[in-house]
Amino acid sequence: MPHDQHAEPDFSDDPFEARLSSALHDAGASFDTDRAALTAAGAAHGRRLRRRQQASVFGAVTVTAVAAVVGGTLVLPGGEGGAAGQPAAPGTSVNPTPKPSDSGVTEQQMITTLQKLLPHGTVSEQTGRGSGEKPGYSATASLVFDDGKGPAAVDVAIDHVPPGTDEAQQTVQCPDKVYIPYDSCTTDRLADGSVVMLLQGYEYPDRRTDTKRWTAELITPTGQHVSVNEWNAAQEKDAPVSRATPPLDRAALTRLAAAPEWRTLVDAIPQRRSHGLAYTQEPGAPVRSTLASLLPKGLAVVGRSSDETGFGYLVVDDGKGASLVQVNVQTGMNDVRDQLFDSGSEELPDGTLVAVHKEPGEKGGKGVVMWTVDSMTPDGRRVVVSAFNSGSQEAAATRKTPALTIAQLRKIALSPQWWQ
Amino acid sequence: MRQVRADEYAEFAAAQAGHLYRSACLLTAGDTHLAEDLVQETLGRLYVRWSRVDRADNPAAYARTTLTRTFLAHKRLRRSSERSTDELPETAAATSDTPLRLTLLQALGQLPVKDRAVVVLRYWEDRSVQETAAVLDTSPAAVRTRCVRALARLRALLGEDIGEYARP
């Protein structure tokens, strides 16, 4: 029942997902190109990369940073057959995780733990999946639980989520109701510092059936993640509603998710190695509200993004037309420093690099120009502020230049407030 | 590269180029020039690492993983981002004369890049949540979060009956 229980795609029971897959296959198949030319160009590029690597042995040229990052650490996607549940075989990994408990968590441990933690009732149809020895995989258990008021599917998945990351934050952040309708959603901090989101929603966002899905997502301060789902039906999908609500109320659901037994098991799952790309590192202040606080006076805000870390925008108007201002805040960007800045970039006394660009917009709006101030501190924290002479990159220009000057953009980009 | 390996590489690249290009077109929401650049970069990286790629369980999956990561690394360098907006534009599918491909690509273009990568991996590459998480080096829970959010946006943009356009 967990979404990720099977290796094969697990979306066939939602008609929209099946349609989307079908539409993507049709759209994808319609693209074609000169494959021979593309293949030849790829090999030529490979030879160039190799020459650069060989040159770098003598310190002459550095390998392009992006290639180097993707290089040594590519994790091969694995199927689930074969090795799952067996101890890690030494020597098969380039960089084996050194923890002693790397044999992972077994299916049986998961099922036994879930049964033990449920209140009084009967259980049936137990299934699960061990974590295996591959890092980053979750372990799951699912079963049908009946407290006497009707059978209900319950599942648990556990894994490790790096604490303090965008990923950890998103996991326990209530979704926007625009996207997912629900009856209630709360995020609370428990006494031990764990954060738990309780979401009382529906199996289908369009509520085509009355199947309710109640979820607890819990993350401990050290990144142990426990996800519990329960339904008011014996199966997640394609089973009749068997009771008014799922069996565990908010308190019982929280207790189940917060049980220390899960944390012990999470610790036995091998952890992912970080590959250095800052996919999940989007710390810093919420972007949209910070940007709003840094705007010069005299600008009306006429459009805005949601307020998240990493990226945000405002559409402002000084009375002469809409102007999109957007900001990216990133960390860990030192590996691409040479691709973003060159000898023409300004260097501040503290080592921060600043580059200014005036260029056409990237998304094809007619006459759109983009003014950018790109900045990066010596420790790889990057703030990029771009302003457009249009309210949208896709729409035609509404004015001659953006509503902010380069000097104003520079002041915004260099504000210490992004890191508070 | 020794000749035998070079031949193996050439054969592999020729067999994969088409699929990689189509994947890249979906990842870039129809930017075919960028798609060609990404595939070229991907094939170049595979060339350099061929002795290792060749021994992988599934070199084709390895190539697709490299493509996705190349795409995300490229997007990381950009000065301006996708509009991961909370304002949903007009439902594009409302005009029935819009070809599905354009409508779909426009909708994909509205997704934040990581959400789009999840959609392409899950519904075009047919990868499981676990596999998608491994490609993106994130957790299955994060993949599910992105997937639910992306599906809700696509539903709003394309309408529930996207299939009517897919299968005229």
Side-chain angles (χ1 to χ4, degrees):
Chain A
M1 258 165 278
H3 288 222
D4 51 354
Q5 191 173 339
H6 307 290
E8 65 270 22
D10 38 359
F11 51 82
S12 53
D13 38 10
D14 180 347
F16 181 79
E17 290 177 272
R19 286 182 204 133
L20 175 63
S21 179
S22 163
L24 277 175
H25 280 88
D26 285 359
S30 68
F31 286 105
D32 205 4
T33 183
D34 183 343
R35 295 180 199 187
L38 193 54
T39 307
H45 182 63
R47 286 189 287 273
R48 276 196 303 278
L49 286 177
R50 167 150 296 182
R51 277 197 298 277
R52 247 186 284 175
Q53 283 186 349
Q54 285 162 347
S56 73
V57 172
F58 303 100
V61 184
T62 50
V63 183
T64 58
V66 174
V69 167
V70 174
T73 54
L74 200 55
V75 179
L76 287 172
E80 297 187 15
Q86 291 164 14
T92 53
S93 167
V94 179
N95 185 10
T97 321
K99 285 174 57 189
S101 54
D102 274 0
S103 53
V105 173
T106 65
E107 172 184 352
Q108 198 51 50
Q109 282 175 297
M110 289 298 296
I111 294 171
T112 309
T113 306
L114 177 56
Q115 287 185 192
K116 187 185 126 195
L117 294 172
L118 282 169
H120 186 69
T122 59
V123 296
S124 59
E125 297 181 43
Q126 299 93 325
T127 60
R129 197 197 54 233
S131 63
E133 83 281 14
K134 281 183 180 159
Y137 276 45
S138 61
T140 65
S142 54
L143 47 75
V144 176
F145 171 67
D146 193 340
D147 57 4
K149 294 175 188 160
V154 178
D155 78 31
V156 177
I158 61 169
D159 60 6
H160 191 272
V161 173
T165 58
D166 173 48
E167 182 185 334
Q169 191 190 342
Q170 278 191 7
T171 302
V172 292
Q173 189 176 35
C174 286
D176 191 324
K177 264 198 162 169
V178 170
Y179 304 127
I180 305 163
Y182 51 78
D183 292 332
S184 84
C185 184
T186 57
T187 301
D188 295 301
R189 189 173 292 273
L190 305 181
D192 66 355
S194 300
V195 178
V196 63
M197 178 190 81
L198 292 173
L199 175 73
Q200 298 192 328
Y202 295 84
E203 179 57 30
Y204 297 99
D206 62 359
R207 313 241 327 237
R208 86 180 75 111
T209 70
D210 287 327
T211 311
K212 289 179 177 164
R213 174 199 190 106
W214 289 2
T215 301
E217 298 280 355
L218 181 140
I219 294 187
T220 68
T222 54
Q224 297 147 325
H225 172 221
V226 182
S227 172
V228 185
N229 288 292
E230 52 166 346
W231 290 264
N232 59 339
Q235 291 178 51
E236 180 178 345
K237 299 178 198 284
D238 300 329
V241 166
S242 57
R243 47 192 296 148
T245 60
L248 306 176
D249 64 12
R250 292 168 51 87
L253 189 56
T254 305
R255 268 198 306 278
L256 175 55
E261 285 85 346
W262 297 126
R263 303 181 189 186
T264 309
L265 291 174
V266 174
D267 288 341
I269 299 177
Q271 287 188 28
R272 293 189 301 277
R273 284 173 282 124
S274 166
H275 59 56
L277 280 188
Y279 295 143
T280 55
Q281 292 175 6
E282 293 176 5
V287 172
R288 189 254 288 159
S289 52
T290 305
L291 174 61
S293 73
L294 295 172
L295 282 180
K297 289 195 173 61
L299 294 171
V301 173
V302 296
R304 68 194 68 210
S305 66
S306 52
D307 200 17
E308 294 162 23
T309 58
F311 171 73
Y313 69 84
L314 291 171
V315 182
V316 299
D317 193 335
D318 55 4
K320 296 175 190 160
S323 182
L324 170 67
V325 184
Q326 60 177 25
V327 178
N328 283 283
V329 178
Q330 297 167 298
T331 57
M333 295 295 284
N334 259 329
D335 57 332
V336 287
R337 176 176 294 268
D338 294 346
Q339 293 172 62
L340 295 170
F341 302 94
D342 56 27
S343 55
S345 305
E346 178 191 2
E347 183 169 357
L348 304 182
D350 69 355
T352 298
L353 291 172
V354 182
V356 174
H357 307 274
K358 288 187 178 181
E359 55 208 340
E362 295 174 331
K363 305 271 166 71
K366 194 171 186 317
V368 173
V369 296
M370 172 168 92
W371 289 3
T372 300
V373 174
D374 201 341
S375 72
M376 198 195 297
T377 61
D379 60 355
R381 290 173 294 150
R382 180 189 186 203
V383 178
V384 197
V385 185
S386 296
F388 302 79
N389 59 339
S390 167
S392 151
Q393 289 200 65
E394 291 85 1
T398 50
R399 48 188 295 143
K400 199 161 174 230
T401 59
L404 281 83
T405 64
I406 290 288
Q408 288 171 326
L409 296 174
R410 184 178 183 282
K411 197 171 169 195
I412 291 172
L414 296 175
S415 167
Q417 274 185 250
W418 297 113
W419 309 107
Q420 281 167 7
Chain B
M1 203 186 267
R2 285 208 315 268
Q3 191 55 42
V4 175
R5 283 217 183 283
D7 290 349
E8 284 169 0
Y9 168 81
E11 194 181 319
F12 176 81
Q16 294 298 320
H19 182 90
L20 288 172
Y21 175 70
R22 291 192 287 274
S23 299
C25 287
L26 294 176
L27 283 170
T28 59
D31 184 340
T32 53
H33 295 294
L34 176 57
E36 285 184 1
D37 288 349
L38 291 175
V39 174
Q40 188 181 325
E41 180 72 27
T42 299
L43 291 175
R45 290 178 186 182
L46 295 174
Y47 178 95
V48 172
R49 301 176 55 73
W50 181 246
S51 60
R52 260 172 283 183
V53 177
D54 191 25
R55 288 198 300 270
D57 294 344
N58 186 345
Y62 189 100
R64 294 169 198 182
T65 297
T66 304
L67 174 72
T68 306
R69 293 193 176 173
T70 303
F71 165 71
L72 291 174
H74 168 84
K75 283 292 173 186
R76 206 171 146 238
L77 286 172
R78 305 298 277 181
R79 299 199 182 96
S80 75
S81 295
E82 315 301 312
R83 293 187 65 174
S84 58
T85 162
D86 52 3
E87 304 153 18
L88 292 170
E90 297 289 309
T91 301
T95 49
S96 59
D97 57 340
T98 313
L100 169 77
R101 179 171 116 159
L102 268 183
T103 310
L104 184 63
L105 293 170
Q106 280 169 358
L108 285 175
Q110 296 285 333
L111 300 177
V113 288
K114 291 179 215 167
D115 290 11
R116 200 188 314 153
V118 165
V119 167
V120 171
L121 288 166
R122 294 276 289 117
Y123 301 111
W124 158 256
E125 300 276 0
D126 297 333
R127 305 258 195 138
S128 70
V129 169
Q130 292 279 5
E131 290 165 343
T132 302
V135 172
L136 300 178
D137 198 19
T138 185
S139 74
V143 167
R144 279 195 294 268
T145 302
R146 289 191 184 282
C147 203
V148 166
R149 189 172 62 185
L151 284 176
R153 286 187 190 190
L154 290 175
R155 240 185 250 271
L157 289 165
L158 297 167
E160 179 70 30
D161 294 326
I162 181 179
E164 286 176 22
Y165 302 96
R167 300 260 181 258

